[in-house]
Amino acid sequence: MTNKTTQPSNISTKSILSGRVWLNFLGSMNLAVTLLVMLSIASVIGTVLKQNETLQDYVLKFGPFWSQVFNDLGLYHVYGAAWFVLVLVFLLVSTSVCVTRHTPTFTKDMKQYSEKLSQRALVHQPHHAEFTTQISLEQQQGYAQALLQHNGYKTKIKQRDDGSVMVAGLKGRWNRLGYFFTHISIIVICVGALLDSDLLLKYRELTGSLKAETRSVPLDEIYKEAWLSEDNLSFRGTINVPEGDTTDMLFLPYRNGFLAQKLPFTVKNENFRIEYYDTGMPKSFESDLVLTAPDLDEPIRQTIEVNKPLYYKNYAIYQSSFGDGGTKLNLIVHPLMAPVENNLKLDTTINSVEPLKTPVGTFRVELNDFKMHNIVPSSEERLKETGHKMQNNGPTIIFKVRNDQGKAWEYENYMIPNKQDGRWFFMSGVRTSNVEPFRYMFIPADAERKNKRFFKFLQMINNPQNTYDLLTTLYPRDQNLSMKEYETQSRLLQQLVVLFRNKGFSGITQFVNKNVPKDQQERVSEYYYGQTSFILQTLYMDLLVKEGRVADHNAEINDFDKVWFEDALNAINGLSAYGPPMYFEIANFEHIQATGLQITKSPGKDVVYFGSAMLTIGVFFLFYVRQRRTWILVKPNEDGNDVTMACKDNKDLPEAKNEFDDLVDQVKKYNEKQLAAADKPQPTNG
């Protein structure tokens, strides 16, 4: 006799139970609702917060701290964030498990009439009624079936062993399709969203075959790992194409850098047009594009504008923005420390870098942008004059001046003077960080609305020898002063002008605080300020004499020249904080525009549209198709038949009771009519 041993199973009961628990968790309604809420919140963020901007722009909006927090959470690229993709995957799996588990139950429910329900079960339904009838079971059964069918029910009859008959009716069975359509639509939408997500890019990044480019380098120096091939499944990127130029690539924002996407076609910007309102605000803009691809016999020519893109296969080309396409500039560089006119003429273009060698060091000028129109809120004075709430301050250039150590000053210089408090100024903004606002220097315009007088006045101040010669010419030595005292006084005035030019009036204050005893500082400061004002006025009067504005240095000047002098001193007083001693003036320009294109490849778009259509159908079935069951049980008794009627509506609306009561009334009236006919004497043959 041999003993048989049972081999242990490879799958333990504990592992089976844990697997079931895991499946129950994935298929739970609470998890699906939680994931849907997360996606809804993320979608709201992605709608409210403009996506795929540069980190620099977000720093300007939210500040260094919050911009970093939002960046770590992936809020600037919500639809490509790892947590968003993970939520999509979990929702896809959860909904798939839910559909798989419940499909057999709901399919069975669509075909089930529940004709085997007992009389006790019927009286526990939401709506029920019981009464006794004297008409035959066959008549009651026939009428019950006809009544239900007349009211749109599919019926099924069950003969029972106790002699009773159940007539079961089912109406609105397609309500359950709402469940299938809504759940399957979520699966379809998730699949479409994943097709358009960065899932494959994140996989490549994890495997080390993808690396974002964070440097500002030419195309041929971009990391090999930052290039994406033409067969990339999906993407959304932007590029600026100047008028007359062609491109076959674009840049995708990724992490804190970008990826270079190769396109299977070329796009040429033949022409770009923009219309403005009277205030200078953009009204509309459009581009004439030519798309060429190897599979096209003829190029596609189309004019695109906002909300009217060009479609090609799975690609869509949108008109998203506009910018500068390399405007040609004729600049005049004014050296702010020069004692004589020594301007430099610079012919360049936007997006160029120009080296500059000056007596105060070597610099690089990085020309970043040109704006034809600058729209700002109108001042109260301008509002009264024009009635427009916005005003156009004219063309500007935005550029950086960088020294040998890499420190950069960013400037915004206006081409034409603008009116401020009834006076005309040339404005130049400067800042050392992108998170700072521009600090503006206001150069007063002369009577001809030019800046020539300012730079001539500045050159006179920059020339100490000119100051000394002018003083000795206009104010010769008094007989009461020795030559040494006269020389000392003249040199002091000369030194005060140098201090004012280098550091403004604060430079004179610093000099006094450093070199004069404390108990004498107030008196000496007043004297120095008075002498500085005197010599500056002298230099200014000499300038007016040379211009022919006044006859001699003792003449009275008009109000315009008085105010101009005060404005000039304010501008010169702030030159020490202006950065490198150079002022860039726009002499002329040839405006070249570029169209900003957003190019997308979205194979999941149609999938999402299909899923959305399924969702709409599913919601229709859920809300407008009511599943109703009605039972009529006829059971014989000693005096006739007991009739039990019951109804169940999956929505339990108020009208469900009214409809059931109407069915009960019709059955009772039928019974009363049949009984009355049976009691009526039958006519006999005479």
Side-chain angles (χ1 to χ4, degrees), residues 54-64 67 431 433-437:
T54 62
L55 184 60
Q56 191 176 57
D57 292 337
Y58 293 119
V59 171
L60 292 176
K61 286 182 181 179
F62 306 115
S67 63
R431 63 184 179 185
S433 171
N434 289 331
V435 298
E436 298 175 359

Side-chain angles (χ1 to χ4, degrees), residues 13 30 51 70 74 136 149 173 230 252 264 266 300 363 377 381 396 402 435 458 465 506 525 577 637 647 652 678:
T13 303
N30 290 337
Q51 301 288 290
F70 294 160
S136 67
Q149 290 178 349
R173 68 172 65 188
E230 298 178 358
L252 314 180
T266 60
I300 299 176
F363 300 90
E381 179 185 6
T396 60
R402 195 180 301 274
V435 298
L458 185 61
Q465 186 60 45
S506 62
S525 293
N637 61 18
C647 177
D652 197 22

Side-chain angles (χ1 to χ4, degrees), residues 425-471:
F425 296 91
F426 290 90
M427 298 187 299
S428 177
V430 60
R431 63 184 179 185
T432 55
S433 171
N434 289 331
V435 298
E436 298 175 359
F438 282 106
R439 294 174 285 106
Y440 285 91
M441 177 178 70
F442 293 87
I443 297 177
D446 55 30
E448 298 178 355
R449 295 188 186 174
K450 305 290 184 181
N451 56 23
K452 292 181 180 179
R453 177 191 284 188
F454 177 81
F455 290 111
K456 286 181 180 178
F457 185 43
L458 185 61
Q459 290 160 14
M460 295 176 70
I461 295 176
N462 289 337
N463 193 336
Q465 186 60 45
N466 174 72
T467 302
Y468 180 79
D469 293 341
L470 182 62
L471 284 172

